[in-house]
Amino acid sequence: MSKILKTIIFGAPGSGKGTISSRMVNDFNLLHISSSDLLRNQVTAHTPVGQEIAKYMSEGKLIPDPLMIDIFNKELQKVNQSWLLDGFPRTLTQAKGLAEIHSVNLAINLNVPFETIRKRLEERWIHKPSGRTYHLTWSPPKIAGIDDLTGEKLIQRDDDKPEIVQQRLKVYDELTRPLLRFYKDAGILQTFSGTESNVIYPELQNFLKVYLHSFNAQ
Ligand code: G5P
Ligand code: MG
């Protein structure tokens, strides 16, 4: 039996974490655990915590660290296979909270220019119940405005408005960028740079094939 791989993927909002994660999950049999999926579950449950979370998200602000750490610790307790965390950790406090419980093997950093990101997010449409993501020109749905799998309507995310995107990029610079140093010092950082997910992913895929070969042989 192969060993359990503990991976995270991080990068600025719109850098392609969701897009690249879905390809990794298909190719490498990883369990995708996305912070926005977990947060959305709380929001749709209409609990008081969910209402708080919805407010932070719509303003492009981060949910407080203790709450995020608690949500992920509980989720990871249920898991018994290799995992890929998308969107968590995204502050140093969260990274340290995770490190207290799990030794992450690999931290994948997507490095995409902010100008590329701003343009991408203007054209993103999502299927809210599932989190499935489309892009009007790059990965359009088969029928405009309609989810391919369910036939339900697509919407634009509240936090993809240009002024909120600007706020999210600022939060990334201040609070998430320091993770680069944290994971570099831990010796597990791998950065993939570019403007196209279709170019970044094959590089990452090749890297992972080699990485997993030696990881499983250890
Ligand atoms: P999220 O949901 O984690 P972000 O801001 O980190 O949000 P986001 O917006 O989900 O990240 P992504 O997953 O990095 O972006 O990117 P994506 O969705 O795959 O791609 C973006 C768009 O570009 C899509 O339309 C896609 O089709 C298109 N695209 C991809 N590749 C290409 C390409 O090569 N070319 C082109 N043209 N298009 C492409 O977090 C949201 C909020 O939740 C809270 C915060 O409030 C946060 O703001 N939150 C947390 N708070 C505290 N701590 C945490 N750990 C939190 N996690 C979430
Ligand atoms: Mg995402």
Side-chain angles (χ1 to χ4, degrees):
M1 207 183 92
S2 48
K3 289 159 49 185
I4 290 191
L5 178 75
K6 301 178 176 182
T7 326
I8 66 161
I9 186 163
F10 69 108
S15 57
K17 298 182 294 294
T19 303
I20 301 260
S21 293
S22 65
R23 297 183 192 182
M24 288 172 69
V25 166
N26 278 335
D27 290 346
F28 298 101
N29 194 26
L30 303 168
L31 181 69
H32 180 209
I33 307 178
S34 139
S35 60
S36 46
D37 287 350
L38 295 180
L39 292 171
R40 200 175 30 244
N41 291 345
Q42 302 268 346
V43 171
T44 49
H46 295 296
T47 57
V49 175
Q51 283 170 5
E52 278 279 289
I53 288 174
K55 191 165 181 300
Y56 282 109
M57 288 177 86
S58 65
E59 291 172 1
K61 294 182 181 152
L62 293 188
I63 279 75
D65 288 330
L67 178 55
M68 284 311 299
I69 293 169
D70 186 51
I71 289 174
F72 267 83
N73 281 348
K74 285 193 182 129
E75 191 65 24
L76 287 171
Q77 275 169 17
K78 301 181 212 159
V79 175
N80 189 24
Q81 71 169 95
S82 294
W83 42 252
L84 171 64
L85 307 189
D86 160 7
F88 178 89
R90 70 171 77 189
T91 66
L92 268 182
T93 307
Q94 291 178 15
K96 288 175 185 165
L98 177 64
E100 279 173 21
I101 301 177
H102 291 279
S103 298
V104 173
N105 303 112
L106 179 63
I108 295 167
N109 169 40
L110 298 181
N111 177 27
V112 176
F114 279 9
E115 211 27 60
T116 305
I117 285 173
R118 286 194 193 92
K119 286 194 199 117
R120 277 182 189 178
L121 295 185
E122 277 173 15
E123 292 197 55
R124 173 162 62 181
W125 285 75
I126 63 158
H127 175 241
K128 201 168 181 195
S130 68
R132 250 185 309 284
T133 299
Y134 300 87
H135 181 275
L136 286 187
T137 48
W138 186 71
S139 61
K142 290 182 186 129
I143 302 169
I146 301 291
D147 179 48
D148 287 352
L149 296 191
T150 62
E152 291 167 351
K153 277 194 173 161
L154 302 177
I155 57 151
Q156 281 192 288
R157 275 171 52 162
D158 289 342
D159 61 350
D160 280 347
K161 296 187 185 102
E163 65 278 14
I164 307 288
V165 169
Q166 193 53 34
Q167 160 72 13
R168 288 160 64 201
L169 291 172
K170 188 163 160 266
V171 167
Y172 168 81
D173 262 337
E174 284 168 10
L175 297 174
T176 308
R177 217 181 264 286
L179 292 189
L180 290 172
R181 167 60 58 188
F182 181 81
Y183 286 116
K184 187 162 190 269
D185 289 349
I188 59 167
L189 180 71
Q190 282 295 327
T191 293
F192 295 86
S193 303
T195 56
E196 286 295 328
S197 297
N198 288 347
V199 176
I200 290 178
Y201 185 66
E203 283 172 22
L204 171 52
Q205 191 186 31
N206 284 338
F207 165 81
L208 263 182
K209 280 181 193 157
V210 176
Y211 178 90
L212 279 172
H213 187 72
S214 67
F215 177 80
N216 285 323
Q218 272 165 28

